[in-house]
Amino acid sequence: SAELWNSAVRVLDKNWAGDHMVPSRRLYPHQWSWDAAFIAVGLCYVNPSRAWRDLRSLFEAQWPDGRVPHIVFDPHTAEGDYFPGPVFWDVPAYGGRRPRGSTALVQPPLHAVAAWEVYRRAMSHGAAAVREAHAALEWLYPRLVAQQDYLTGHRDAGGAGLASIVHPWESGLDNSPAWDAAMSAVPADLTLLQKYHRRDLDVADAAHRPTDVDYARYLGLVLSYRDGGYADAHLARDHDFVVECPNFNAILGAAEIALAQIAGVLGADPQVHRARAQRITTAIVDRLYDARSRTFRVLDVRTGAHSPARCISGLVPLILPDLPAYYADDIMTEARSARFGLPQQTDLPAPSYDRTAADFDTLRYWRGPVWINVNWLLRRGMLQHGYRDEAEDLRTAMVRLVHRSGEYEYFHPMTGEGIGEPAFSWTAALSLDLLA
Ligand code: DGY
């Protein structure tokens, strides 16, 4: 509707910070990595130049080893306005003429998919927009490839060609029950919370955020990675949290498909990317598919065990075009089940976690609430595999939810009420894409 379109555009105007988009003004006053990808996908309908600028800002802060940091800090934002900020991370400021501090963690590499979407949209914006898009792809392409090389090289702690994450923040699904088993082995030093102040609780309801025990573990993991100079050489042996996530790795594979398309436009070789996508898809099936439950699960690289939790991340491999129909059908069965109840049972998009689980939590971040970004991925997967009616139902459910409740960060999975930050950039941007 025009009403939702206009209000989403206003959110993106308000959250534009000159050369990048913030996810929201109060809780997330810097630039976040996978947010930038989702934002570009919608922002390109109304301001393609800003979509490219945002992606470019992020990749200007890419590390020499190829990693794209999960947060790039805005030097104009006070240290006290976000924790953990630049002082805690203690990372050199990368970025040539415009150095900015960053974290040392990564996030799902959705940027190639986003860049390809922004490029495709440029076709309907005229010749100047197409020239701009072509130049932006030329600048981004080697950097996107370096990002993939870092993730499938340095981060291949499991040795099978997938990327491991070394911190729940890297998943983007911070306190998902998918990490509970692996996180239970990570020391929780609660004295860290006396030493450091959780700024998120100044601006958000504690019942909607990760717990103090979670946070103590989050900080401890960063400190131990930091003590090792953020090096990745012996992760599986030395680091306390090393897991392979189906959401992260499905996006890693989708990125290679998008890179093949980008390579085609730029006159580079698409075939190497198609081959890599195929290898990633095969490794996801080999390692993350649990034949007994017929679902995709998080793998703990240190113990070799699959997580028992059934989370939305297990549905995202549907975005892989090479995923054999057998596994796509299993994902759809899980999506339609009472666990995720898409969307006929509740009129709502899929929750972040199994509705039938005893510890399903309607308020706490990634432990139950509905998030638009993962549902957007799921819909993309449905379209990819020919589930047109389900994709349309899910699109309708997402648009209806945001129209009724506003562009919130996440939503109550029973009532649809908005939770977390209002005026959240990716919810606004993806609404534009769903309406377009
Ligand atoms: C936060 O600030 O809670 C973010 O999720 C960390 O990336």
Side-chain angles (χ1 to χ4, degrees):
S1 75
E3 200 186 334
L4 174 54
W5 180 276
N6 292 334
S7 102
V9 171
R10 277 197 301 276
V11 167
L12 295 175
D13 271 339
K14 239 182 66 191
N15 289 349
W16 182 251
D19 55 15
H20 67 278
M21 191 75 78
V22 295
S24 74
R25 286 276 166 194
R26 287 184 323 158
L27 190 53
Y28 308 109
H30 296 286
Q31 184 180 34
W32 261 259
S33 169
W34 82 324
D35 294 62
F38 290 115
I39 289 163
V41 163
L43 183 56
C44 67
Y45 292 96
V46 290
N47 197 329
S49 300
R50 280 190 181 175
W52 291 123
R53 186 70 199 97
D54 198 29
L55 289 173
R56 190 176 173 121
S57 279
L58 178 73
F59 278 81
E60 281 169 356
Q62 185 170 34
W63 287 31
D65 66 9
R67 90 181 81 185
V68 175
H70 106 285
I71 306 173
V72 179
F73 293 116
D74 181 344
H76 306 296
T77 299
E79 180 75 24
D81 285 351
Y82 181 76
F83 177 78
V87 170
F88 184 84
W89 291 92
D90 193 23
V91 160
Y94 295 112
R97 284 182 291 114
R98 218 165 62 93
R100 284 167 302 157
S102 70
T103 70
L105 302 178
V106 296
Q107 265 185 340
L110 191 68
H111 315 90
V113 169
W116 180 246
E117 292 298 328
V118 182
Y119 176 82
R120 285 199 317 134
R121 305 288 167 235
M123 307 295 180
S124 47
H125 281 99
V130 173
R131 273 197 303 278
E132 175 188 46
H134 201 274
L137 283 189
E138 271 179 341
W139 188 87
L140 277 169
Y141 176 68
R143 291 165 173 86
L144 292 164
V145 172
Q147 171 174 240
Q148 295 292 108
D149 288 346
Y150 169 77
L151 293 172
T152 53
H154 289 66
R155 286 304 191 87
D156 183 12
L162 298 184
S164 286
I165 57 173
V166 301
H167 196 295
W169 285 338
E170 295 200 313
S171 68
L173 324 170
D174 299 5
N175 65 344
S176 169
W179 322 128
D180 288 0
M183 283 295 266
S184 66
V186 174
D189 176 2
L190 286 164
T191 65
L192 288 173
L193 296 177
Q194 282 144 26
K195 187 158 171 214
Y196 300 107
H197 175 68
R198 277 188 71 177
R199 145 89 191 166
D200 62 320
L201 298 187
D202 298 346
V203 292
D205 187 330
H208 303 172
R209 296 283 305 169
T211 64
D212 277 352
V213 173
D214 291 332
Y215 245 79
R217 291 189 165 119
Y218 295 163
L219 298 180
L221 282 173
V222 173
L223 291 172
S224 89
Y225 196 32
R226 191 179 83 179
D227 286 347
Y230 299 125
D232 297 316
H234 303 289
L235 287 173
R237 192 191 70 197
D238 296 343
H239 196 66
D240 285 334
F241 180 87
V242 184
V243 304
E244 292 174 359
C245 170
N247 175 63
F248 194 108
N249 282 289
I251 290 173
L252 185 77
E256 292 293 348
I257 301 286
L259 283 171
Q261 287 158 319
I262 294 170
V265 165
L266 298 179
D269 177 15
Q271 199 38 49
V272 333
H273 298 298
R274 285 199 206 103
R276 286 187 191 172
Q278 182 66 63
R279 278 203 297 279
I280 291 167
T281 301
T282 303
I284 288 175
V285 169
D286 285 351
R287 293 170 69 78
L288 308 187
Y289 182 74
D290 171 48
R292 199 184 36 82
S293 63
R294 304 186 63 169
T295 58
F296 288 89
R297 299 297 178 105
V298 163
L299 178 71
D300 185 334
V301 172
R302 291 164 51 94
T303 63
H306 280 142
S307 158
R310 298 167 92 123
C311 302
I312 186 103
S313 46
L315 307 180
V316 180
L318 199 63
I319 65 172
L320 293 164
D322 294 336
L323 188 73
Y326 173 89
Y327 301 102
D329 286 349
D330 280 354
I331 288 175
M332 289 305 296
T333 302
E334 178 82 343
R336 292 184 188 110
S337 75
R339 295 189 164 86
F340 293 96
L342 265 187
Q344 38 304 42
Q345 295 168 25
T346 57
D347 248 23
L348 290 171
S352 44
Y353 180 41
D354 175 0
R355 286 181 186 282
T356 67
D359 56 349
F360 179 69
D361 184 329
T362 54
L363 297 176
R364 207 179 282 284
Y365 219 39
W366 287 94
R367 304 186 72 88
V370 169
W371 290 75
I372 293 298
N373 66 332
V374 281
N375 276 284
W376 181 88
L377 289 170
L378 187 53
R379 170 175 176 265
R380 186 181 166 91
M382 290 171 174
L383 291 173
Q384 197 89 253
H385 286 274
Y387 295 98
R388 303 223 139 247
D389 294 346
E390 288 87 344
E392 182 51 22
D393 287 349
L394 182 51
R395 189 190 75 82
T396 309
M398 285 191 269
V399 168
R400 189 172 48 217
L401 175 62
V402 182
H403 190 211
R404 276 191 201 148
S405 302
E407 294 88 349
Y408 270 85
E409 185 183 4
Y410 43 107
F411 301 86
H412 191 292
M414 306 299 198
T415 66
E417 186 196 339
I419 321 177
E421 287 284 274
F424 193 66
S425 293
W426 83 32
T427 306
L430 295 176
S431 298
L432 295 180
D433 183 58
L434 295 170
L435 288 170

